[in-house]
């Protein structure tokens, strides 16, 4: 089977991504398998945290939703329309419903345009013709992100701090009232104190406007408060998907546990679980391991992990894992390998 299964997909999703594969040819005969058959969905008003180490394919996934570039295979269904089937002009129209916020706020804003124009840019193509109406919409969004519109209107991006530029990027994303916003590590490049301000602001905006967000981050701590659901990726594959609190309380995939171990512990005297961090051998997306891609770093790996790719199966409620030997007991009857006894988390510590 390609990919890691679709047991975790729901019927009422605004966005449904199925078997998404993105490969980049490099050199004469090599292929980077950046994303390999992942599936996930998002319900209207929900925030999905998409988490995994650098290079696991998060940005590629975010860009593939926008068809930048069109994925190698798979489907991206937004509100009933399969974006992978649209031609160029149709996709450009649909792209206004999708907005992306990038990691580096300063370079994502056009340095030659004043802030008023930067935020109005999408409206100049798709919005009302009347300049006063455009400015009304722009100033509303600048105010919503805590930027004084009259002060900012004629200033240039370089006159603002990184945090302020990220606020301006968010205003630009909001001005088209998109159905979905993809935030690609929006706070990673900012100072820690500013990170908290931007995260809090996004949470407020999400509640006020009922925004639907994909929130990409490389560590679980950043997505904890903002995400309703969290999806964990490893080397182009989906490992685990769960309602947020459940994932942090009961990680079922050894890789999720590894990521949780790297969240800074508030109590410096508390012991960290370093069992999984011992021998780190990072495989290449040019030649990913057979079976489970995490097996070269997993202390629970055995012969079946090498031979068979684990498929997504239900742990409980809205909690799904793709692992042959999950860390919590699988309660439903849809087990892949009945002969494999569940491994208790205690054996890992
Ligand atoms: N345009 C490209 N050409 C070749 N390889 C790419 C390209 N874009 C991304 N990659 C590779 O795909 C993998 C996933 O990258 P990326 O999606 O940026 O990961 P992440 O955002 O999780 O750090 C990496 O190995 C990266 O080097
Ligand atoms: S137990 Fe096997 S399937 Fe599960 S993460 Fe480890 S290697 Fe992968
Ligand atoms: Mg990235």
């Amino acid at each position: 089977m390609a990919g890691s299964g679709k047991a975790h997909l729901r019927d009422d999703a605004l966005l449904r991504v199925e078997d998404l594969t993105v490969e980049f040819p490099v050199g004469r005969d090599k292929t980077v398998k950046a994303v390999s058959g992942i599936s996930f969905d998002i319900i209207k008003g929900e925030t999905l945290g998409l988490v995994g180490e650098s290079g696991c394919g998060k940005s590629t996934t975010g860009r593939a939703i926008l068809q930048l570039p069109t994925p190698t295979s798979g489907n991206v269904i937004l509100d009933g329309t399969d974006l992978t089937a649209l031609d160029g002009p149709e996709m450009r129209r649909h792209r206004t419903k999708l907005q992306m916020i990038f990691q580096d706020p300063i370079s994502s804003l056009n340095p030659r345009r004043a802030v008023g124009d930067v935020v109005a840019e999408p409206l100049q193509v798709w919005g009302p013709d009347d300049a006063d109406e455009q400015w009304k919409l722009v100033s509303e969004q600048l105010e919503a992100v805590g930027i004084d519109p009259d002060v900012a209107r004629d200033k240039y991006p370089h006159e603002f701090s990184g945090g302020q530029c990220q606020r301006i990027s968010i205003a630009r994303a909001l001005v088209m009232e998109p159905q979905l916003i993809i935030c690609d590590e929006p706070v990673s490049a900012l100072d820690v104190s500013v990170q908290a301000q931007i995260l809090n602001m996004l949470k407020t905006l999400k509640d006020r406007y009922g925004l639907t967000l994909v929130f990409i981050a490389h560590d679980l701590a950043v997505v904890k408060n903002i995400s309703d659901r969290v999806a964990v990726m490893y080397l182009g594959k989906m490992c685990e998907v769960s309602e947020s609190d459940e994932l942090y309380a009961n990680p079922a995939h050894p890789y999720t546990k590894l990521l949780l171990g790297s969240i800074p512990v508030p109590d410096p005297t508390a012991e960290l679980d370093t069992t999984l961090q011992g021998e780190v051998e990072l495989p290449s997306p040019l030649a990913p391991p057979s079976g489970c891609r995490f097996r070269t770093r997993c202390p629970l790996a055995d012969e079946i992990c090498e031979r068979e790719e684990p498929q997504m199966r239900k742990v409980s409620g809205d909690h799904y894992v793709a692992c042959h030997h999950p860390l919590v007991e699988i309660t439903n009857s849809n087990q892949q390998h009945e002969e494999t006894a569940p491994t208790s988390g205690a054996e890992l510590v």
Side-chain angles (χ1 to χ4, degrees):
M1 240 187 279
S4 301
K6 296 183 213 167
H8 55 299
L9 298 187
R10 299 158 294 179
D11 292 332
D12 50 350
L14 170 70
L15 177 81
R16 187 179 173 101
V17 174
E18 290 182 36
D19 288 331
L20 182 76
T21 295
V22 184
E23 296 182 345
F24 300 104
V26 284
R28 279 192 175 192
D29 53 359
K30 290 206 169 81
T31 304
V32 176
K33 296 179 168 74
V35 176
S36 301
I38 64 166
S39 301
F40 60 94
D41 61 15
I42 306 167
I43 288 175
K44 193 171 182 309
E46 192 174 57
T47 295
L48 176 76
L50 188 60
V51 181
E53 286 160 308
S54 180
C56 73
K58 305 178 299 293
S59 297
T60 304
T61 301
R63 294 176 61 85
I65 294 172
L66 277 88
Q67 310 296 295
L68 295 170
T70 307
T72 310
S73 63
N75 304 98
V76 177
I77 300 155
L78 179 72
D79 207 10
T81 302
D82 187 349
L83 303 182
T84 63
L86 300 181
D87 63 19
E90 282 175 327
M91 187 57 223
R92 272 194 291 284
R93 247 192 323 278
H94 272 77
R95 212 169 268 134
T96 61
K97 301 176 186 171
L98 299 161
Q99 292 292 320
M100 196 147 178
I101 299 166
F102 297 95
Q103 179 172 353
D104 183 351
I106 295 170
S107 68
S108 72
L109 299 176
N110 186 339
R112 286 182 295 276
R113 301 198 77 180
V115 165
D117 287 333
V118 165
V119 179
E121 208 167 9
L123 293 174
Q124 287 162 357
V125 184
W126 304 104
D129 288 334
D130 184 69
D132 288 342
E133 263 185 73
Q134 282 183 13
W135 173 243
K136 191 166 168 280
L137 294 170
V138 168
S139 56
E140 271 170 20
Q141 292 312 330
L142 284 170
E143 262 171 26
V145 299
I147 299 280
D148 183 331
D150 295 317
V151 172
R153 185 173 191 169
D154 297 321
K155 286 192 171 178
Y156 287 81
H158 73 265
E159 297 177 77
F160 293 86
S161 68
Q164 287 170 326
C165 283
Q166 198 57 296
R167 288 172 187 268
I168 293 164
S169 300
I170 294 167
R172 184 180 56 178
L174 289 174
V175 83
M176 290 299 293
E177 298 184 11
Q179 286 182 303
L180 177 74
I181 304 178
I182 299 162
C183 309
D184 189 358
E185 308 225 25
V187 297
S188 304
L190 305 175
D191 291 344
V192 174
S193 57
V194 183
Q195 284 188 8
Q197 289 168 15
I198 299 289
L199 281 171
N200 287 338
M201 189 195 70
L202 273 170
K203 203 160 183 301
T204 306
L205 291 171
K206 174 191 147 171
D207 295 340
R208 188 191 302 170
Y209 297 121
L211 301 177
T212 310
L213 305 175
V214 179
F215 193 100
I216 294 173
H218 59 264
D219 77 71
L220 277 162
V222 169
V223 300
K224 190 166 194 226
N225 288 327
I226 199 162
S227 304
D228 303 297
R229 218 165 178 236
V230 175
V232 179
M233 278 184 79
Y234 181 78
L235 206 65
K237 292 283 184 187
M238 198 61 88
C239 300
E240 181 164 10
V241 181
S242 174
E243 181 274 319
S244 188
D245 291 343
E246 161 71 8
L247 185 104
Y248 290 85
N250 298 308
H253 198 285
Y255 179 58
T256 310
K257 193 164 169 75
L258 166 76
L259 286 179
L260 283 170
S262 60
I263 290 182
V265 185
D267 173 5
T269 61
E271 263 185 50
L272 268 181
D273 172 13
T274 52
T275 319
L276 285 162
Q277 301 176 49
E279 292 170 32
V280 177
E281 183 196 327
L282 289 171
S284 162
L286 285 167
S290 63
C292 174
R293 290 191 178 180
F294 186 57
R295 70 176 167 80
T296 55
R297 291 172 67 187
C298 181
L300 302 179
D302 63 8
E303 182 271 330
I304 196 172
C305 306
E306 185 176 345
R307 187 164 38 90
E308 268 184 40
E309 184 184 346
Q311 298 296 307
M312 202 59 92
R313 53 189 171 143
K314 189 169 183 162
V315 174
S316 60
D318 184 29
H319 188 176
Y320 294 82
V321 68
C323 173
H324 293 302
H325 311 301
L327 305 178
V328 295
E329 197 163 346
I330 298 267
T331 50
N332 84 337
S333 56
N334 184 25
Q335 294 211 11
Q336 261 190 303
H337 302 291
E338 300 287 350
E339 76 278 11
T340 310
T343 311
S344 104
E347 289 174 38
L348 280 162
V349 291

